[in-house]
Amino acid sequence: MSVAHCGDFRQSYKDDMKVLETRFVRVSVGAFLVLLYVFPLFMSNYATSTMTTIGIAVIGALGINIVTGFTGQISLGQGAFMGVGAFACSYFMRILHMPFWIAMPAAGLTTAAVGMVFGLPSARLKGLYLAIATLAAQFILQYLFIHMEAVTGGSNGIPSPPPEIGSFAFDGDRSKYYLTITIAVLAVLFTTNLVRSRDGRAFIAVRDHYLSAEIMGIHLFKYRLLSFAVSAFYAGVAGSLWGMYTGYISAEHFTIAESINYLAMIIIGGLGSVLGSIFGAIFMTLLPQALTVGTGALAQTFPKIGFLIMSFKDGVFGLIVILFLIFEPDGLAHRWRQIKAYWKLFPFSY
Amino acid sequence: MLNVNNIEVVYSDVILVLKGLSLACKEGQITTLLGANGAGKSTTLKAISGLLKSEEGEVTKGTIEFMGEKLNGMPPEKIVRKGIFQVMEGRRVFEDLDVVENLRCGAYTRSDRAGVKRDIDLVFDYFPRLRDRRSQLSGYLSGGEQQMLAIGRALMARPRLLLLDEPSLGLAPLLVREIFRIIAKINEEEKTTILLVEQNASLALQVASYGYIMEMGKVVLDGPCEKLRENPDVREFYLGIGEGGTKRSFKNAKHYKRRKRWLS
């Protein structure tokens, strides 16, 4: 049983279409999925709920990777788009009495529409200029979160009712986890297939050389807008799940810091890589938690300088991210590919 | 002057590109490096000028010596100061600077103002077209003019060894001949040693005095250019001349029967 192919052995179109090429990879991915689903049975509620936030982050990161990593349009509004999704979902459920299963996709579509509106500047703007335009989206939406009190509850926030099937409500840590992780797995599957479809190739073409893409007949504006819409749809779904996870949503969570956090995820994980979005989401969710635990323990051991250690936390966080970018400038996904390439012809490296 | 001994270059720790390549450039001569696409010619030049590092490449074995000094692992900005200047493939002029500013950039490593001024005039003497366009933004120059500017910019550094990567890329045949004439002239008048990488084998073998032919990351054939021009394999595969001395007709050729002799 070969772990990975050491060359190109594809003989049919069917072989060519496979996502998981060898039996070893299929078995290990299957085992990983099984592990994901039995995980909460053995772990604490705290670990389960951390995993839920990772799942939400994975969906959000996949979204921003589609617009920024694959299509090359820097977006600084992912946090606000998540807010749109969360508030929309809550509104649909509370006021329009939709069940969550309809409200969540509807919130996704609403967010996609909002994302398209703020993607309009991409018709004329490129690179950093577009980033500044999307930054405006962030602030306009944040303003609306505070002032559209009927929908968002203003600065007080608003409750987000839990999803229900019949009489069963998803309000425990485990049930929230299962719902989130299922949607995250579906999102990963969909994105993996999206980026190797006709439209996915068009996204990448627009990123790599927009003039050549245009020559091929790709409508640039259409695909830029589409990427904003798809990305915002993911953000809307992630936002709905976030509302379900916390049970109460307020505008405070969906700030520019959150948007930058998502951008950091895909930069650390790997731009233009599905696997990178997952790695980045895990890294950026776990690192602050690990630091909290670490500094907390240190502060207990050295109570006199405890406050000092605690105040170093954010600094250490920044330092680790910077060191990471210095040593892994192409992201975790790139390192992962390197490791795989290295083992391909083991014991020879080339 | 330049001695490359048995170098091995690996990209990203996993892709082996050069497999024990050796070559030498004699002072004051034009040496040419020929080969098919993907043979590793540009990688060789990048290994010499130190540009590999920014592409995750690394010289893992062998040495590169210039005037008796080891260049392995030296950063490119230091190698330039040793007197090696690479003109990269594709023109890569600074589009938002005008012609004179581009030339001044080329002289970045020098501090003698009078000399720089003299050399700008010298470049204009070699490339009169550039003089007419001296204050135009270089992004607006035509392809040929940009290539001239790229070579002129290299001259401004007063290099002892000039690495030229495909100066004929995308130029009209007349312009190619013109550029090659100037390259030969520069070599003759300024005594600049040149290592020339080219696809246009027949012209390269005319201006150069010694040639190397690369394939799959190795030098497969080398010799003085007169001899290479006579070599039947080079004639057929690089110059496109059949055994009868005429242009080969592919109509009645059984091409697969003839193999390159150095590949066995």
Side-chain angles (χ1 to χ4, degrees):
Chain A
M1 183 167 89
S2 58
V3 172
H5 288 322
C6 57
D8 206 346
F9 299 120
R10 286 170 263 197
Q11 292 183 336
S12 62
Y13 284 116
K14 212 180 137 211
D15 280 348
D16 210 29
M17 296 290 289
K18 280 179 185 160
V19 179
L20 309 171
E21 284 191 29
T22 61
R23 195 192 301 161
F24 176 82
V25 177
R26 283 195 290 276
V27 168
S28 37
V29 169
F32 176 73
L33 283 177
V34 170
L35 204 66
L36 265 187
Y37 280 91
V38 297
F39 170 86
L41 303 179
F42 306 105
M43 300 303 265
S44 66
N45 281 349
Y46 175 72
T48 310
S49 111
T50 304
M51 284 292 284
T52 311
T53 54
I54 290 179
I56 295 171
V58 165
I59 301 171
L62 282 171
I64 191 173
N65 220 342
I66 287 174
V67 71
T68 303
F70 286 103
T71 321
Q73 319 290 310
I74 306 171
S75 164
L76 277 172
Q78 194 73 352
F81 291 146
M82 277 184 73
V84 173
F87 284 120
C89 185
S90 161
Y91 182 81
F92 292 148
M93 287 171 77
R94 283 180 304 105
I95 313 293
L96 304 180
H97 303 293
M98 289 183 186
F100 181 80
W101 319 109
I102 298 176
M104 185 187 70
L109 290 176
T110 312
T111 317
V114 173
M116 275 170 101
V117 171
F118 288 107
L120 286 177
S122 69
R124 308 215 42 175
L125 301 180
K126 284 194 282 285
L128 279 175
Y129 297 94
L130 182 64
I132 298 301
T134 57
L135 190 65
Q138 172 71 38
F139 285 112
I140 293 170
L141 288 172
Q142 245 174 281
Y143 177 86
L144 291 178
F145 292 159
I146 302 284
H147 292 274
M148 279 176 62
E149 289 189 13
V151 179
T152 67
S155 48
N156 292 326
I158 214 157
S160 175
E164 287 165 350
I165 297 181
S167 61
F168 179 78
F170 287 78
D171 51 5
D173 283 331
R174 270 188 205 169
S175 53
K176 285 177 185 174
Y177 169 81
Y178 280 122
L179 178 60
T180 307
I181 222 68
T182 306
I183 295 177
V185 168
L186 289 178
V188 169
L189 201 64
F190 178 77
T191 318
T192 311
N193 283 308
L194 172 71
V195 298
R196 56 196 205 119
S197 69
R198 181 168 175 268
D199 293 326
R201 281 191 296 275
F203 284 152
I204 295 168
V206 170
R207 172 194 71 190
D208 283 349
H209 213 301
Y210 67 94
L211 284 179
S212 306
E214 215 170 6
I215 293 284
M216 314 274 142
I218 294 169
H219 195 302
L220 291 186
F221 182 49
K222 183 181 137 195
Y223 276 98
R224 285 183 183 143
L225 216 52
L226 188 66
S227 75
F228 267 99
V230 174
S231 158
F233 182 85
Y234 279 69
V237 170
S240 311
L241 290 171
W242 177 262
M244 172 208 69
Y245 170 71
T246 54
Y248 199 88
I249 38 181
S250 77
E252 280 162 30
H253 182 71
F254 308 110
T255 56
I256 177 77
E258 185 72 358
S259 293
I260 290 175
N261 202 24
Y262 274 102
L263 204 56
M265 276 180 206
I266 59 167
I267 290 171
I268 285 174
L271 287 169
S273 155
V274 174
L275 207 56
S277 321
I278 302 174
F279 286 152
I282 295 173
F283 185 88
M284 289 297 282
T285 317
L286 286 188
L287 184 61
Q289 303 232 10
L291 280 175
T292 311
V293 174
T295 49
L298 267 179
Q300 270 186 351
T301 332
F302 309 101
K304 280 186 180 161
I305 52 166
F307 71 95
L308 206 62
I309 294 173
M310 294 302 265
S311 61
F312 270 128
K313 202 183 86 179
D314 289 339
V316 172
F317 178 72
L319 186 68
I320 291 178
V321 170
I322 290 171
L323 287 177
F324 222 87
L325 290 178
I326 290 173
F327 291 109
E328 292 294 336
D330 295 321
L332 286 165
H334 179 69
R335 176 57 49 189
W336 174 249
R337 280 194 290 270
Q338 297 272 82
I339 292 169
K340 277 206 298 196
Y342 180 84
W343 288 101
K344 233 178 191 175
L345 297 174
F346 185 80
F348 310 106
S349 58
Y350 39 78
Chain B
M1 183 180 204
L2 176 81
N3 274 306
V4 177
N5 303 314
N6 263 321
I7 57 164
E8 220 179 75
V9 168
V10 176
Y11 279 117
S12 303
D13 292 330
V14 284
I15 305 158
L16 180 67
V17 180
L18 298 186
K19 307 159 186 168
L21 174 126
S22 302
L23 59 83
C25 292
K26 288 213 184 77
E27 182 135 32
Q29 287 192 347
I30 300 182
T31 310
T32 184
L33 189 57
L34 306 173
N37 294 117
K41 304 181 300 287
S42 299
T43 301
T44 310
L45 291 195
K46 283 177 192 160
I48 297 168
S49 64
L51 282 180
L52 275 184
K53 222 179 233 169
S54 40
E55 300 188 347
E56 280 200 61
E58 200 190 348
V59 180
T60 49
K61 277 182 197 160
T63 56
I64 300 168
E65 278 172 31
F66 181 63
M67 318 280 287
E69 199 176 350
K70 238 178 104 173
L71 295 183
N72 295 42
M74 211 183 263
E77 69 271 13
K78 266 199 181 146
I79 293 178
V80 176
R81 289 180 165 81
K82 301 276 174 216
I84 297 184
F85 200 108
Q86 182 181 2
V87 179
M88 294 212 289
E89 193 178 352
R91 293 111 202 180
R92 318 213 184 187
V93 294
F94 304 120
E95 292 176 1
D96 288 338
L97 297 182
D98 66 29
V99 170
V100 175
E101 284 169 332
N102 260 284
L103 293 177
R104 284 189 191 282
C105 272
Y108 177 79
T109 53
R110 293 171 59 180
S111 49
D112 53 327
R113 277 165 170 255
V116 170
K117 214 170 185 182
R118 228 179 16 252
D119 281 354
I120 289 181
D121 273 334
L122 182 85
V123 170
F124 285 157
D125 288 343
Y126 280 119
F127 302 104
R129 294 263 284 271
L130 292 182
R131 180 174 276 138
D132 304 336
R133 311 217 155 204
R134 54 186 306 157
S135 53
Q136 258 187 35
L137 287 190
S138 56
Y140 294 132
L141 300 182
S142 75
E145 290 162 346
Q146 287 188 6
Q147 185 63 53
M148 292 176 184
L149 181 56
I151 297 174
R153 194 169 59 176
L155 289 181
M156 291 304 296
R158 284 260 155 214
R160 283 193 275 191
L161 173 63
L162 191 57
L163 310 176
L164 290 176
D165 200 347
E166 294 206 23
S168 73
L169 186 86
L171 299 183
L174 268 181
L175 210 52
V176 172
R177 201 150 295 164
E178 170 86 3
I179 291 226
F180 270 76
R181 192 181 56 76
I182 296 170
I183 290 172
K185 200 169 149 202
I186 290 168
N187 168 256
E188 203 175 295
E189 291 176 2
E190 312 298 321
K191 306 287 172 232
T192 312
T193 315
I194 294 175
L195 177 55
L196 174 68
V197 163
E198 251 306 317
Q199 292 288 357
N200 190 333
S202 72
L203 266 178
L205 287 175
Q206 275 171 36
V207 296
S209 51
Y210 201 86
Y212 292 87
I213 293 181
M214 275 184 82
E215 222 151 85
M216 309 278 285
K218 280 182 202 151
V219 170
V220 286
L221 189 69
D222 69 301
C225 286
E226 308 90 64
K227 280 206 171 156
L228 286 182
R229 281 203 298 268
E230 301 301 310
N231 185 302
D233 282 335
V234 175
R235 282 171 77 89
E236 173 160 2
F237 292 111
Y238 287 93
L239 304 178
I241 304 166
E243 271 162 64
T246 50
K247 249 199 167 165
R248 197 181 165 85
S249 159
F250 286 94
K251 203 168 139 196
N252 39 23
K254 290 184 180 165
H255 199 69
Y256 56 90
K257 277 205 171 165
R258 206 137 125 58
R259 287 261 176 83
K260 295 175 193 176
R261 251 171 241 166
W262 56 75
L263 286 176
S264 52

